[in-house]
Amino acid sequence: DFDREIWNGEHEEEFRKAGPRTVSLLSAVTDQEARDMIARAMVTALRRIPPLTPASRTGLTLPDLGAGDLVGETEGPDWHPTGVTDLSGLSLNWYVAALAKTCARIVSSQGEEPSAILPAVSAYHAVDPLNAGELEAIWPLVIADIAFSAALAENRHALAPEDETAAEEAKGQRQILANASTVTAAYMHASILDACRVETVPLDLGPLLPDVDAEKIKL
């Protein structure tokens, strides 16, 4: 009985709109190197996502929840969120999309280190176990979110070329994307499975050169 119209319909942050919105944002960008870098990262990420989405669970989410939207309690040195103050982003979305948004923020704020997301992913998995498709979709979704943020920053810079703040933001977002792109999706998938302690089926590997008699090989 969720009424999209009451909650402003679909939200612009939805990953399902990331590709077309990125194309629209980059149309105003004249820096060819920046355009190519962002577009390449987005296309690579979005190609990996569709085969995984049929397995992704959908429900009510707050896909871009900021720290300022939370209330909580302090226990010793730790602070624990207990409630949400702003429901304006409530929408029907993939559960894993909200986690990916969180991971993208972590990458952006933790020195752009991809492995910084692993504690958050394993903590989420411990509470709400992710299925195989969701575990594989996390990193492509993270890259898509970071690439979209970079496109947004480049668009602002293109529309206000004399604005030094916009220029610095665009440069910073490009660097975050470049650092996040230093690891492959396969590597991050394996790292996520390891962090979540998910057992994988070993690959059935055979000899690389089966016609060569190993007994005749000399060093």
Side-chain angles (χ1 to χ4, degrees):
D1 60 351
F2 178 72
D3 190 335
R4 290 180 182 271
E5 293 186 6
I6 292 177
W7 298 95
N8 302 318
E10 293 183 345
H11 291 269
E12 293 184 342
E13 308 88 53
E14 285 215 23
F15 283 108
R16 283 166 280 197
K17 295 183 177 182
R21 291 202 68 218
T22 298
V23 171
S24 176
L25 289 168
L26 292 179
S27 65
V29 177
T30 56
D31 186 332
Q32 190 65 42
E33 184 178 351
R35 287 177 58 182
D36 289 348
M37 174 191 177
I38 295 168
R40 184 165 53 249
M42 179 64 79
V43 169
T44 301
L46 293 182
R47 280 178 178 169
R48 300 184 70 93
I49 295 170
L52 305 172
T53 53
S56 297
R57 296 163 298 154
T58 302
L60 291 177
T61 67
L62 287 167
D64 199 14
L65 192 61
D69 302 324
L70 301 173
V71 293
E73 296 177 350
T74 301
E75 296 180 10
D78 300 321
W79 180 80
H80 300 279
T82 57
V84 180
T85 61
D86 183 5
L87 297 177
S88 60
L90 192 67
S91 63
L92 284 171
N93 208 333
W94 302 315
Y95 288 135
V96 71
L99 175 60
K101 284 271 187 183
T102 297
C103 290
R105 284 195 172 192
I106 291 172
V107 172
S108 299
S109 63
Q110 299 293 321
E112 301 92 43
E113 174 55 52
S115 63
I117 72 168
L118 298 178
V121 174
S122 59
Y124 183 101
H125 182 70
V127 175
D128 179 26
L130 297 154
N131 62 43
E134 291 169 332
L135 287 165
E136 189 173 351
I138 291 172
W139 189 247
L141 288 169
V142 169
I143 291 294
D145 187 71
I146 294 174
F148 177 76
S149 296
L152 194 60
E154 288 292 343
N155 179 269
R156 289 171 181 159
H157 177 42
L159 297 179
E162 304 301 323
D163 188 334
E164 293 184 5
T165 301
E168 283 299 313
E169 183 185 4
K171 180 180 178 182
Q173 289 295 335
R174 281 200 309 272
Q175 189 59 54
I176 291 171
L177 179 59
N179 290 347
S181 300
T182 58
V183 295
T184 65
Y187 174 82
M188 285 306 298
H189 182 214
S191 299
I192 288 168
L193 292 178
D194 184 61
C196 296
R197 299 182 179 179
V198 175
E199 294 289 336
T200 56
V201 179
L203 295 175
D204 184 15
L205 299 176
L208 181 62
L209 301 172
D211 297 330
V212 174
D213 185 354
E215 297 297 326
K216 295 182 179 180
I217 296 177
K218 295 181 180 181
L219 298 180

